[in-house]
Every structure is written in structure tokens, then in C-alpha cells.
Amino acid sequence: MSAKPDTGRFARFLLGAAGALVLLFLCTPILIVVPMSFSDRSALQFPPQGFSLRWYEAFLSTPVWIEALLTSLKLALCSSVIALVLGSLAAYGLARSRLKGGAWLDANFMAPMIIPHIISAIALYFAFAALGLLGTFTGLVIGHALVATPYVISVVGVAVRALDVRIEQSARSLGATWPRVLASIVIPNVYPSLLVAWIFAFIVSFDEVVITYFLAGSYVTIPKKMFNDLSQQLDPTITAVATILIVGSVLLMLVVARLSGGALGGIAHGDKR
């Protein structure tokens, strides 16, 4: 009789150990890059032999890096807002439509997430060259919004489908217009998912390098600057930049986890009612 509990505890131990090993494997790059960013040597070396903030100071005191950071933030903000608006409307339409080809449309909206970005970059390169948008900030925003929109559709679509459609139908039967239903019912109920979707879109745009490399022209973003420097020289400043990006991404993911938990809790609470 006592063998079953022992077997269960052993299985849980193996599962926990496997999870810990996978987490360690995923965090290995972080465990290497972050300590190297505090090195006092002029070359990349692991483990670091001394402690210094010189590479963070180099990043903050170099105009090219600061300009690249500002460009990345501006680009990510513009493209993520566009992706949020377009993706949310598309997600709502897909969730509420009764079209027979709804699944086919949904799959097509996910295409930019599945197709390698190099293919999308080549297609956008020739299209924007013909339209005169190649090397422009507008073209960059459109390209980044294109790859970020599927993430918005995925997140917002789940939230819209979880929202009871009868609430919207009741509002419409009482005379509420479709924009009023969206503003008064849909958005207040799915706003945590909207914020999560925007954060995902922002991160995707900020980290994008392939499409940026094809379309940016003279514009330099943080990922493009890092790629260029890595291909030319191993500047330890890159480790400081990478550490800052890691910290920022972790903080955003904590916000996403908090919002996702709140959204799921709200949905569960609504189901109980």
C-alpha cells in the first residue's frame, strides 16, 4: 500500500528535476552574458576577471547607441499601437463572424508568425521599393506592424471568445450601436488581454532585426546596431546592452504574467456568476 505514494513522490521529483534542467538550459545565455557585462577587460571573457561598470557607461555615453535606442523605442511604440488596433479588430471579427471560411482566414492571419521573417523581408523589400517606402520610417513601421499583428490576434482572440456574446446581443437589442458595444462592453472586459497583446507586439517589434535590416536604410535600431557590431568587432558594450534588454524583457514578462492571471481570474469569476 505504501509503494504508490512513494512512486508518486518520485514521479513528481523527476518532473520537477526535468523542469529545472530545462529552465537552466534556457537561462544559460543569460548566466553567461550578464556577468560578462560587468567585466573590466577590453575583450569578451568568461568568467570575468574583475568588476566594472565601464561598458554601461560606454553605452550611455555613446550617441550612436542612444540614438539607436530612441529609434527602437519610437519604432516599437508606433508599430505596436497599429498592430494592437488592427489585430484587435481582426480578432473580434474572427471570433464573432459566422463565415464558413473563418478557420481559413484565421490561418492566413497567422501566416506572418509562421513564415520565416527572411521571406517576409524579401517580399516587403521589393514591394516597398516599388512604392517608394524603402528606407523610410513609415515603411519600417508597416513592416514591424505586419509581424506583430498575429500576436495581437492570438491573444485578443482568446479573450473575445471567452466573453459571453449574449451580453453584446442584449446591448444591441436595447439600441446600442456597434461602436458603443465595443467601447462599453467589449473593451472594458478584455482590456487586460489588450495590454498583454500590446506588450507582446512591442517586444516583437523592438527585437526584430531581419526585416529591419532589409527595410531600414539609414535608420539604426538597437538589434541592427548589435548585429553590425558583432559582425565587425566584439565590443563588450554589446553585453551591457544585452543585459539591459534582458532586464527590460523580464520586467515586461512579469507584467504580462500578472495581467494574464488577472484576466483568467476574471473570466473564471464571470463563469461562476
Side-chain angles (χ1 to χ4, degrees), residues 149-236:
T149 298
Y151 295 88
V152 176
I153 296 176
S154 298
V155 175
V156 178
V158 173
V160 173
R161 290 185 179 92
L163 180 63
D164 194 343
V165 69
R166 292 173 295 182
I167 302 176
E168 301 172 46
Q169 294 171 344
S170 299
R172 293 297 299 272
S173 67
L174 294 174
T177 61
W178 179 68
R180 180 66 181 273
V181 171
L182 283 181
S184 301
I185 296 175
V186 178
I187 293 178
N189 280 279
V190 303
Y191 79 90
S193 295
L194 291 175
L195 186 53
V196 169
W198 175 78
I199 291 175
F200 276 133
F202 184 91
I203 293 175
V204 168
S205 174
F206 193 94
D207 290 341
E208 177 57 42
V209 63
V210 177
I211 289 180
T212 303
Y213 212 86
F214 273 76
L215 305 180
S218 61
Y219 288 97
V220 179
T221 63
I222 285 287
K224 183 181 178 181
K225 170 68 173 169
M226 294 176 70
F227 184 82
N228 288 337
D229 284 6
L230 281 173
S231 62
Q232 297 172 5
Q233 60 179 347
L234 294 178
D235 184 2

Side-chain angles (χ1 to χ4, degrees), residues 24-36 46 243 246 250:
L24 178 62
F25 174 75
L26 294 175
C27 292
T28 299
I30 299 176
L31 298 177
I32 294 176
V33 171
V34 174
M36 289 173 62
F46 185 84
T243 301
I246 289 170
V250 169

Side-chain angles (χ1 to χ4, degrees), residues 2-55:
S2 61
K4 291 183 178 180
D6 292 340
T7 303
R9 284 195 295 268
F10 182 69
R12 288 193 295 270
F13 170 77
L14 288 180
L15 184 61
L21 289 175
V22 172
L23 180 61
L24 178 62
F25 174 75
L26 294 175
C27 292
T28 299
I30 299 176
L31 298 177
I32 294 176
V33 171
V34 174
M36 289 173 62
S37 68
F38 295 100
S39 174
D40 61 350
R41 302 299 175 90
S42 298
L44 295 176
Q45 184 179 3
F46 185 84
Q49 300 300 315
F51 179 85
S52 175
L53 297 176
R54 60 181 296 192
W55 304 119

Side-chain angles (χ1 to χ4, degrees), residues 14-114:
L14 288 180
L15 184 61
L21 289 175
V22 172
L23 180 61
L24 178 62
F25 174 75
L26 294 175
C27 292
T28 299
I30 299 176
L31 298 177
I32 294 176
V33 171
V34 174
M36 289 173 62
S37 68
F38 295 100
S39 174
D40 61 350
R41 302 299 175 90
S42 298
L44 295 176
Q45 184 179 3
F46 185 84
Q49 300 300 315
F51 179 85
S52 175
L53 297 176
R54 60 181 296 192
W55 304 119
Y56 291 91
E57 295 175 356
F59 168 68
L60 295 175
S61 61
T62 304
V64 176
W65 279 112
I66 299 301
E67 183 180 357
L69 176 62
L70 295 177
T71 300
S72 292
L73 291 174
K74 181 181 177 181
L75 176 60
L77 180 61
C78 294
S79 60
S80 61
V81 170
I82 294 174
L84 178 64
V85 174
L86 297 180
S88 298
L89 292 174
Y92 182 83
L94 290 171
R96 295 292 185 250
S97 67
R98 298 179 180 177
L99 298 175
K100 292 183 179 180
W104 181 82
L105 286 174
D106 199 358
N108 276 270
F109 276 116
M110 295 299 105
M113 185 188 298
I114 301 171

Side-chain angles (χ1 to χ4, degrees), residues 124-141 211-220 224:
L124 289 173
Y125 178 87
F126 287 105
F128 287 176
L131 296 173
L133 292 175
L134 191 62
T136 66
F137 189 78
T138 300
L140 264 180
V141 170
I211 289 180
T212 303
Y213 212 86
F214 273 76
L215 305 180
S218 61
Y219 288 97
V220 179
K224 183 181 178 181

